[in-house]
Amino acid sequence: MSTEKENKNISNTTDAEIDKKLGIETVSFKCDTEFVNNLRALAASADMELEPFIRRLCSEHIRKNQLSEKPASSTELNWGDIKRLEPVHRDFGFGAGQPIDRFYIDQFFEQHCDDIHGCVLEIADNNYTKRFGVNRVLQSEIFHVTESEKATLVGNLVSGQNVPTEAFDCIILTQTLPFIYDVDSAIANCYRALKTNGVLLCTVNGISQISRYDMERWGDFWRFTNLSLAQLLKAHFKSSTKNPEAVSITTFGNVLTATSLLFGIPSQELQMKELNHHDQDYQVLIGARAVKF
Ligand SMILES: C[S@@+](CC[C@H](N)C(=O)[O-])C[C@H]1O[C@@H](n2cnc3c(N)ncnc32)[C@H](O)[C@@H]1O
């Protein structure tokens, strides 16, 4: 196995790369005839010309040196409890407290709670409608893809089945697009279901484990970035000179909260300043507000 890999590494290294590494154009050295003859004999026994044989020796030497040069951090790193192949909790941290992405969803709704008013549609349950819409909500509808006790509408966001037209002031679409293959159709039907000036509040994960529960029912298909979510939404929610910001995106997370979520470590284990630290390259949660103008 390792020999195969080594050979592959060697043959993948071009002559030009080896020359560059060795500074061959600038380096010349003398060696005696006996040494050269020995090299020639070795090359012949390997059934190779002298020059490619020397190149192979050199590249192998470089590769071994690179392997032995470990970065200082890898020897100093204290892995503590997280050098493990199993997560701390496999359920996102629900059993032990509040999952990290749910902490960020709360923050997202705190920013946009005024949009949750009038007739509101939410997927699977109406937890966020009740918590953040409070007395602004006049009618709460719960949409589900299969029959459920809570559902007031059973239908499909992709086909549009049972999705009413221009009916809602707000649609709360939390953690749903990752579980729908044809996200473009789902967004088109959300757009159709909103009244003019209605708002879609949508959250998705950028980084997360697979949701086994969803995978086994309707499928777990996607993780997103701020860019992919913005483009998907902007295809339907159009800005204009009068209304320049039909779609606005907020990202949440950092490397610590991303790894905590993957390990199933709940938000209670982290300090506020750790949860609130923002690193755009670790998008644990992406929140979008899209207005139908
Ligand atoms: C993780 S739940 C998200 C909803 C929940 N309120 C939340 O905040 O986590 C994923 C939901 O996707 C919904 N879903 C999957 N495929 C769908 C489809 N084609 N149309 C409508 N909903 C769908 C299922 O109803 C499921 O409840």
Side-chain angles (χ1 to χ4, degrees):
M1 183 82 176
S2 68
T3 318
E4 250 179 58
K5 206 174 168 187
E6 281 164 23
N7 286 339
K8 205 173 163 208
N9 282 345
I10 292 163
S11 57
N12 281 347
T13 312
T14 65
D15 288 354
E17 284 168 32
I18 295 169
D19 284 350
K20 201 172 161 209
K21 280 177 186 162
L22 292 174
I24 265 175
E25 287 99 343
T26 54
V27 175
S28 65
F29 52 90
K30 290 179 184 167
C31 45
D32 62 31
T33 317
E34 191 188 347
F35 178 72
V36 175
N37 286 342
N38 283 341
L39 271 181
R40 248 186 243 288
L42 277 173
S45 67
D47 209 14
M48 289 178 80
E49 296 294 321
L50 182 61
E51 196 181 316
F53 180 73
I54 293 173
R55 285 188 191 286
R56 177 168 287 207
L57 280 183
C58 291
S59 63
E60 182 67 352
H61 178 72
I62 291 165
R63 197 185 64 79
K64 283 190 175 150
N65 276 354
Q66 283 170 343
L67 283 179
S68 64
E69 283 169 17
K70 281 188 185 168
S73 62
S74 69
T75 50
E76 287 161 16
L77 190 62
N78 180 357
W79 283 94
D81 289 337
I82 62 161
K83 189 154 195 186
R84 53 195 298 153
L85 297 175
E86 281 294 311
V88 178
H89 300 290
R90 196 168 269 277
D91 64 350
F92 297 85
F94 271 113
Q98 181 193 41
I100 303 275
D101 55 354
R102 295 286 162 178
F103 172 86
Y104 290 139
I105 294 173
D106 284 1
Q107 283 198 332
F108 176 71
F109 283 123
E110 276 158 21
Q111 290 165 9
H112 299 295
C113 57
D114 288 345
D115 290 324
I116 305 171
H117 68 93
C119 187
V120 179
L121 180 77
E122 187 171 341
I123 309 299
D125 53 47
N126 61 358
N127 291 341
Y128 293 113
T129 306
K130 286 192 289 190
R131 281 181 57 210
F132 293 94
V134 287
N135 56 8
R136 286 183 299 276
V137 177
L138 303 176
Q139 191 184 339
S140 167
E141 299 287 348
I142 300 174
F143 193 88
H144 204 267
V145 72
T146 54
E147 289 286 347
S148 88
E149 272 181 25
K150 291 180 185 168
T152 60
L153 287 168
V154 177
N156 196 308
L157 277 180
V158 174
S159 66
Q161 177 213 348
N162 252 352
V163 180
T165 299
E166 300 202 349
F168 303 106
D169 297 289
C170 180
I171 296 178
I172 295 180
L173 192 70
T174 45
Q175 312 303 86
T176 298
L177 290 183
F179 310 112
I180 292 179
Y181 184 76
D182 184 354
V183 282
D184 184 63
S185 294
I187 292 168
N189 281 311
C190 286
Y191 182 86
R192 177 172 63 75
L194 284 170
K195 297 177 187 171
T196 302
N197 293 323
V199 176
L200 173 69
L201 295 175
C202 166
T203 68
V204 294
N205 283 106
I207 299 166
S208 127
Q209 69 180 81
I210 297 289
S211 169
R212 185 53 46 198
Y213 178 90
D214 293 286
M215 180 67 107
E216 285 169 3
R217 286 161 180 80
W218 22 82
D220 185 345
F221 301 99
W222 309 111
R223 299 295 175 268
F224 296 81
T225 66
N226 59 322
L227 193 60
S228 58
L229 188 60
Q231 275 189 223
L232 282 162
L233 291 168
K234 282 176 182 174
H236 300 278
F237 292 81
K238 305 280 187 194
S239 299
S240 63
T241 35
K242 198 172 152 214
N243 299 300
E245 218 186 357
V247 176
S248 59
I249 303 277
T250 317
T251 65
F252 302 83
N254 58 66
V255 68
L256 176 62
T257 57
T259 43
S260 298
L261 177 65
L262 294 178
F263 277 111
I265 297 168
S267 64
Q268 287 86 344
E269 294 289 334
L270 299 182
Q271 294 174 9
M272 275 314 236
K273 65 176 183 207
E274 294 167 335
L275 289 160
N276 287 334
H277 179 77
H278 179 248
D279 183 336
Q280 63 176 353
D281 293 339
Y282 292 84
Q283 301 183 350
V284 173
L285 190 89
I286 304 150
R289 176 182 187 268
V291 189
K292 178 176 177 176
F293 289 121

